[in-house]
């Protein structure tokens, strides 16, 4: 090793650990340059192995080494570390089992594990023997560091999934499981003995036992195919049930020694994770431990045996284990039990049914409601100190991992599994709390709250057992009228309970009574938690498929006003998001009826947007609300564009980090603004330029982006194509090079809109793309929808711009080295083959019009396919001609003034009106195909002369000719 280079690297690492940017930046740059230099990692190893060097410098050396392993250890990696250097590194890494700094020891163990994942066992056969030898070392630190390394190596190897790697890990497990089990049990016995003797000098033993236990967990879960067939594994699992209560009692004896308590708690959690993992990954191996698991967990959580011993995270693990056993699909027999094929499934089911007797079930359920469901003093204190945080925590991340939601899920699991047994108990508890008079006694209030919680959770299960309409009218409405301070708990719970049952069994005719009951609960003088519960409950009937707008309209103004006041008064982002969510639902459901009640909200949202610059999720809720608001306001939303357009620009700007959160809603808002704009504006047109970078993404938002483009084409056709036409052509040509058929159809529809709005200029503008379309069609595109769009575009070019169509044929002929007629011939053959697959009938008529226009071209390729052309046109006529009046054959697709006058357009957006106007002038709806065919047939007859014409008609089959004569004669 070069001493000068080593000194230089050491000095650079010192500079890289300096907070002064003058030293830090150049040092980091230099270290990046050295990453691929031979000997760099050997130098790093020497530096972090030298205990006399500063810890922060050694730490940095380990991190750079780890990063190098990720990037350059594989043989196939560019600038890979040489095999010679890797050999030396592997040898010297195993001399570091005396690292004095724990954090560095962890990093070193992870580093060794990363290399082991690449090289073990082929290139690093001595790793595991050396580590196990170090585990047997007499020195405490040496042994602990070796166990730490063994754990991370085993963890890394257990994550490999190839068959050969799994076999290797299985062999490793066979070789070391017994010894690690002996090591863990030996440490455990020693710890238990010392603590029983009031000797608390057990920290080192606890560390080593925890590491041993973690190794055992990985080995039994990932290193054994059938743990129940391995004697040592069965012994280990049996030991788990003995150690859990012993550890809990030891933990209680260590109340004033937090570091030891923490280590014991970690061990207890790992023990429960062993059970969880074996249950999940080896359910049939777990069958013999079902009873022991249930007896242990139920005893600890639902009998006096666990009082004073449990801590929350352990209790959560226990309850989840019970739920896991109940949920396990391998333990559920067929509906007809005798048809179950797996004997282990029947055995598991038998054990479950025997354990969950009537008395056990009812006791668990009763304790869940009377102990676990009760709000605690800490809950009520949090409610008083910060009502918003209390209300939002119950739906947030912290709530998901706390005890009460875990108990609620367990309750539902039990209730679903044993409904017949538990329903009478719940109904009895409901009757009991309902009969009790209103009181200020907190225990009584909390128990009622818990029972109502259970009824709300099990709403679907209790559907046939509770007359909810009667209960709502006779009991729950009265509960909501009790305004004492303590009774806020019941008002909040009853409000939530009603929300749970609205979509289950509350009669639609009772909705007005519900609205009347909720409005006082939204009042600003009500408790904030109750107001939020009322807001969420108000969303339930509004979001229900039986929602009746007319029923809600009398309460619309009050609801929006009260929700707006709550939104304005709330200080937490989560609260504001909740209220905005409810407002969005209401606005969406009542549509244009919202218009008289939006003034305050419209005035407030710009202020809220400015306030929420650092809260992306709140801004998402604002944008989502704006989408529904614009849709409800319709053309009136034009007045909001000075606010809406900057919001759209910010939300859809790929250079702004918040676009990750806001893009989808921002595009929806953009589309809503375009859809409802009665006219264009310079500002609205200026924003349009931002759409093209989004089209280049080719993401799941492409559909909305293309809708926006189509909206602009109809809203401001001249201005949009003048400013952005070339951008659009470039984007479309780029997109169709690598896109799925569904996306291709979307792009083609967008191009078709341009051709419909600008029948002649559009063909010139999109000439490059139309050339690609013709090429793809000639390759006989297999997807009917894509082929249909190709043919539609070419049909419009044929009808409106023969010059461009001729140029397309000439270009393709030059490219292929063919005559123009040959290209046209190939195109027509594919056209006639695909035409029966084209849908809807409007597109087939468009293609029929184009074919009809080609009849008079007097080209040989047309005359050669004259029969096929007429057959295709005849089939279109069969689909579109109405023959109610024998004297008149009416083209059903041609729009008349009468048709337009009698159509109902009340719910049309401005974009819908523009589309309708475009359709009115489309040849499909203005040209009668039968009359056009008659004109063309007369023209070709005059052009060819009678004898030549008759000769041409003789090529048409008799059936087609007969149908043709009927249409022409009429």
């Amino acid at each position: 090793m070069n001493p000068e280079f080593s000194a230089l690297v050491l000095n650079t690492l010192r500079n890289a650990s300096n907070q002064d940017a003058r030293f830090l930046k150049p040092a980091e740059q230099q270290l990046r340059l050295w990453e691929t230099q031979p000997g760099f990692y050997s130098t790093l190893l020497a530096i972090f192995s030298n205990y006399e060097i500063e810890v922060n410098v050694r730490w940095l050396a380990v991190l750079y080494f780890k990063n190098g392993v990720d990037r350059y250890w594989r043989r196939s990696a560019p600038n890979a570390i040489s095999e010679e250097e890797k050999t030396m590194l592997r040898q010297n890494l195993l001399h570091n089992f005396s690292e004095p700094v724990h954090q560095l020891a962890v990093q070193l163990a992870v580093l060794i594990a990363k290399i082991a994942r690449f090289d073990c066992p082929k290139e690093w056969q001595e790793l595991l023997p050396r580590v196990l030898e170090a585990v047997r070392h007499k020195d405490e630190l040496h042994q602990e560091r070796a166990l730490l390394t063994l754990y991370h190596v085993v963890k890394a190897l257990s994550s490999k999934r190839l068959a050969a790697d799994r076999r290797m890990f299985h062999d490793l497990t066979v070789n070391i499981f017994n010894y690690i089990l002996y090591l863990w049990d030996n440490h455990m016995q020693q710890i238990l003995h010392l603590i029983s003797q009031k000797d608390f000098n057990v920290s080192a033993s606890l560390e080593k036992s925890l590491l041993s236990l973690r190794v055992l967990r990985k080995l039994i879960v990932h290193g054994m195919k059938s743990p129940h067939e391995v004697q040592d594994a069965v012994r280990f699992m049996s030991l788990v049930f003995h150690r859990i209560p012993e550890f809990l009692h030891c933990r209680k004896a260590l109340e004033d020694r937090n570091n030891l308590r923490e280590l014991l708690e970690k061990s207890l959690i790992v023990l429960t994770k062993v059970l969880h993992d074996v249950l999940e990954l080896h359910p049939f191996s777990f069958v013999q431990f079902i009873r022991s698991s249930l007896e242990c967990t139920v005893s600890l959580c639902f009998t006096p045996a666990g009082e004073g011993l449990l801590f929350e995270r352990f209790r959560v693990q226990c309850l989840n284990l019970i739920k896991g056993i109940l949920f396990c699909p391998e333990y559920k027999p067929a509906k007809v039990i005798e048809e179950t094929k797996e004997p282990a499934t029947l055995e598991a089911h038998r054990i479950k049914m025997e354990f969950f007797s009537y008395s056990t079930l009812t006791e668990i359920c009763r304790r869940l409601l009377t102990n676990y469901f009760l709000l605690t003093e800490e809950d009520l204190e949090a409610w008083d100190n910060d009502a918003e945080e209390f209300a939002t925590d119950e739906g947030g991340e912290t709530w998901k991992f706390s005890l009460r939601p875990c108990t609620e899920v367990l309750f539902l699991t039990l209730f679903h599994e044993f409904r017949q047994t538990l329903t009478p108990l719940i109904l009895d508890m409901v009757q009991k709390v309902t009969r009790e008079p209103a009181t200020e006694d907190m225990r009584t209030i909390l128990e009622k709250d818990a029972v109502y919680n259970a009824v709300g959770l099990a709403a679907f299960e209790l559907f046939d057992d509770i007359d909810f309409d009667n209960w709502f009218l006779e009991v729950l409405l009265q509960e909501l009228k009790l305004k004492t301070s303590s009774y806020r708990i019941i008002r909040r719970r009853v409000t939530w309970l009603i929300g749970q049952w609205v979509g289950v069994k509350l009669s639609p005719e009772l909705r007005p009574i519900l609205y009347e009951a909720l409005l006082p609960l939204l009042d600003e003088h009500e408790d904030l938690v109750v107001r939020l519960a009322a807001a969420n409950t108000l969303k339930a009937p509004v979001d229900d498929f039986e929602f009746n707008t007319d029923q809600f309209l009398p309460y619309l103004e009050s609801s929006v006003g009260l929700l707006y006041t709550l939104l304005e008064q709330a200080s937490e982002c989560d609260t504001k998001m909740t209220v905005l969510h409810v407002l969005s639902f209401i606005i969406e459901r009542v549509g244009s009826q919202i218009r008289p009640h939006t003034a305050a909200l419209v005035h407030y949202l710009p202020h809220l947007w400015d306030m929420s610059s650092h809260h992306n999720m709140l801004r998402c809720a604002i944008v989502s609300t704006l989408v529904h608001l614009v849709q409800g306001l319709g053309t009136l939303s034009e007045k909001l564009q000075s606010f809406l357009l900057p919001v759209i620009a910010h939300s859809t700007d790929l250079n702004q980090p918040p676009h990750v959160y806001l893009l989808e809603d921002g595009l929806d808002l953009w589309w809503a603004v375009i859809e409802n704009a009665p006219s264009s504006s310079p500002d609205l047109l200026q924003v349009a330029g931002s759409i093209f970078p989004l089209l280049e993404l080719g993401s799941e938002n492409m559909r909305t982006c293309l809708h926006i483009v189509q909206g602009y084409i109809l809203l401001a056709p001249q201005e949009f194509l003048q400013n952005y036409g070339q951008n659009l052509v470039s984007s479309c040509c780029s997109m169709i090079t690598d896109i799925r058929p569904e996306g291709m159809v979307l792009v083609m529809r967008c191009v078709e809109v341009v051709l419909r709005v600008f029948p002649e200029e559009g063909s010139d503008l999109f000439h490059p793309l139309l050339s690609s379309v013709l090429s793809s069609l000639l390759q006989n595109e297999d997807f009917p929808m894509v082929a249909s769009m190709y043919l539609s575009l070419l049909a419009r070019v044929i009808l409106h711009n023969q010059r461009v169509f001729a140029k397309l044929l000439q270009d393709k002929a030059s490219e292929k080295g063919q005559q123009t007629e040959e290209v046209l011939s190939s195109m027509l053959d594919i056209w006639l083959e695909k035409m029966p697959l084209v849908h809807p009938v409007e597109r087939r008529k468009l293609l029929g019009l184009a074919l009809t226009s080609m009849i008079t071209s007097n080209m040989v390729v047309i005359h050669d396919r004259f029969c096929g052309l007429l057959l295709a046109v005849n089939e279109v006529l069969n689909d579109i001609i109405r023959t109610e009046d024998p004297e008149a054959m009416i083209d059903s697709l041609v729009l008349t003034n009468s048709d337009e006058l009698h159509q109902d357009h009340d719910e049309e957006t401005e974009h819908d009106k523009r589309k309708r106007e475009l359709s009115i002038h489309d040849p499909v709806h203005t040209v009668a195909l039968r009359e056009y065919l008659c004109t063309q047939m007369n023209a070709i007859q005059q052009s060819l002369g009678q004898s030549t014409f008759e000769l041409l008609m003789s090529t048409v089959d008799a059936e087609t000719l007969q149908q043709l004569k009927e249409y022409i004669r009429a």
Side-chain angles (χ1 to χ4, degrees), residues 87 203-204 263 295 304 474 595 628 693 701 708 726 909:
T87 300
S203 178
L263 287 170
E295 287 175 349
E474 300 297 327
R595 293 176 183 179
H628 298 303
N701 294 310
I708 291 169
Q726 289 303 323
T909 64

Side-chain angles (χ1 to χ4, degrees), residues 86-95 124 126 130:
K86 288 199 291 187
T87 300
M88 188 275 293
L89 292 172
R90 286 191 292 259
Q91 290 173 351
N92 291 333
L93 277 169
L94 297 180
H95 297 304
W124 208 359
E126 70 272 21
R130 288 281 299 277

Side-chain angles (χ1 to χ4, degrees), residues 714-729:
L714 296 184
L715 177 64
Q718 294 288 353
E719 297 89 340
F720 181 76
L721 286 182
Q722 183 178 347
N723 290 319
Y724 304 110
Q726 289 303 323
N727 302 70
L728 180 59
V729 173

